[in-house]
Amino acid sequence: MSDQLIVINEQRIVLFLDDELIAVRAVDGDVYVSVGHLADALGLDRQGQTQRIERHTVLLSGYRRGEINTAGGVQNAYLLRVDLVPFWLAGVNTKRIKDDDRRLKIEQYQQNVAKVLWEAFQDGRLMADNRFDDLLAADSPAAQAYKMAAAIMQMAQQQLLLEAQMQDQAAKLQNHEQRLEQVEAVLGNTDRYITVEQASQISQAVKAIALVVSRQSGRNEYGGVYGELYRRFSITSYKQLPAHKFDQAMAWLTEWYTSVADDDVPF
């Protein structure tokens, strides 16, 4: 568990089976519930439950501390992310509970409390009441208005998610474009030297010419051919030949070779 307090944007009292649970939403959008209030509502030992959470890697990943408002003032509370609440409650073995009412209550918590806690910050529904579903099914003007508002909210949520995805795609596209511009800038840089492969071609061409000329003169002409290449292109090494002059240099070397040799160009 992180020792750093989470920053809370919103706090709500959520009613579930006549219990008042304190739920909060952090700045990152995650919803948490007070572990102490959950344990009290279910008749579970607070200390024992916090120790059980701290021993579990998965539960610990969503276990935080935060300051909540209570009747006694602001208190430092242990909070569990609501999506982990069913997983935590699943560790409570209801078969060992002899009290039927308490066993049924814990099972209802296991099944529904996480959904209710999450919905409290989505559409303002702060209680789990089957009568609400019955009222919606009655299709009264108020129910129709609620359904329409819920549909609009859902569409707005989908639009926000779509816009976020489009922004992500636009950012990725911009990143690709910037990389492409960098590649194009390198390829179009007249000061860029030839590649290793191109340097090898130049070297082979020079050696082929020098070999023919050396046979004709009886001297080692390698230095002379390289020297003429350096003089013609104003370089001190064939590896420093500008990339944009590679084709020109190869054409010049090819012409030189064909002027001193009768066979096909070997490079």
Side-chain angles (χ1 to χ4, degrees):
M1 179 184 66
S2 174
D3 291 332
Q4 184 177 2
L5 291 173
I6 61 171
V7 180
I8 296 174
N9 263 354
E10 187 178 1
Q11 174 177 320
R12 293 192 176 187
I13 300 295
V14 181
L15 300 179
F16 186 78
L17 302 181
D18 295 328
D19 294 324
E20 291 189 355
L21 306 177
I22 294 182
V24 299
R25 177 159 54 188
V27 292
D28 60 2
D30 285 333
V31 178
Y32 295 83
V33 63
S34 167
V35 175
H37 286 78
L38 267 178
D40 292 346
L42 296 174
L44 302 174
D45 179 65
R46 284 195 178 197
Q47 184 176 0
Q49 292 305 314
T50 55
Q51 291 175 350
R52 186 164 68 87
I53 292 174
E54 290 171 353
R55 289 195 301 266
H56 200 291
T57 303
V58 175
L59 293 175
L60 196 60
S61 67
Y63 192 47
R64 298 290 184 269
R65 289 190 305 117
E67 293 183 343
I68 61 175
N69 295 313
T70 67
V74 178
Q75 295 183 2
N76 195 336
Y78 291 106
L79 307 169
L80 185 64
R81 205 172 63 231
V82 295
D83 60 298
L84 294 175
V85 170
F87 186 58
W88 165 54
L89 291 177
V92 179
N93 188 355
T94 56
K95 293 182 179 180
R96 296 181 178 180
I97 300 175
K98 297 181 180 180
D99 187 305
D100 292 340
D101 292 337
R102 182 164 174 262
R103 181 174 64 253
L104 178 60
K105 181 178 182 179
I106 293 177
E107 290 174 349
Q108 290 178 320
Y109 263 77
Q110 291 172 333
Q111 295 173 7
N112 299 313
V113 71
K115 178 175 180 292
V116 173
L117 289 168
W118 184 83
E119 285 182 346
F121 291 91
Q122 307 307 314
D123 58 13
R125 185 173 178 181
L126 303 181
M127 63 183 65
D129 193 339
N130 293 332
R131 291 176 300 173
F132 187 82
D133 296 326
D134 295 336
L135 291 172
L136 286 180
D139 206 27
S140 65
Q144 293 176 4
Y146 180 90
K147 292 177 182 178
M148 182 176 297
I152 293 174
M153 185 184 69
Q154 186 175 12
M155 290 176 60
Q157 183 182 33
Q158 293 173 347
Q159 180 65 26
L160 287 173
L161 293 174
L162 179 60
E163 290 177 358
Q165 292 175 353
M166 292 177 64
Q167 290 176 355
D168 290 341
Q169 292 298 327
K172 291 180 181 178
L173 180 60
Q174 183 178 8
N175 187 35
H176 289 318
E177 290 177 347
Q178 291 175 346
R179 291 183 181 179
L180 180 59
E181 289 176 357
Q182 292 174 354
V183 172
E184 290 175 342
V186 171
L187 294 177
N189 186 357
T190 57
D191 295 329
R192 184 174 63 89
Y193 295 145
I194 57 176
T195 65
V196 175
E197 291 77 9
Q198 290 173 328
S200 177
Q201 288 182 259
I202 294 290
S203 177
Q204 291 175 9
V206 168
K207 290 178 182 178
I209 296 170
L211 182 62
V212 175
V213 176
S214 295
R215 288 173 183 171
Q216 295 174 354
S217 67
R219 299 188 302 271
N220 186 338
E221 299 290 352
Y222 284 92
V225 177
Y226 273 117
E228 184 63 21
L229 174 70
Y230 298 161
R231 183 194 65 78
R232 187 177 186 87
F233 292 97
S234 301
I235 56 178
T236 58
S237 170
Y238 68 96
K239 295 181 180 179
Q240 295 178 348
L241 180 71
H244 70 283
K245 292 186 177 182
F246 173 73
D247 292 338
Q248 181 182 348
M250 288 301 298
W252 174 71
L253 290 169
T254 300
E255 183 180 356
W256 189 354
Y257 183 85
T258 57
S259 68
V260 297
D262 295 331
D263 54 344
D264 295 334
V265 178
F267 51 83

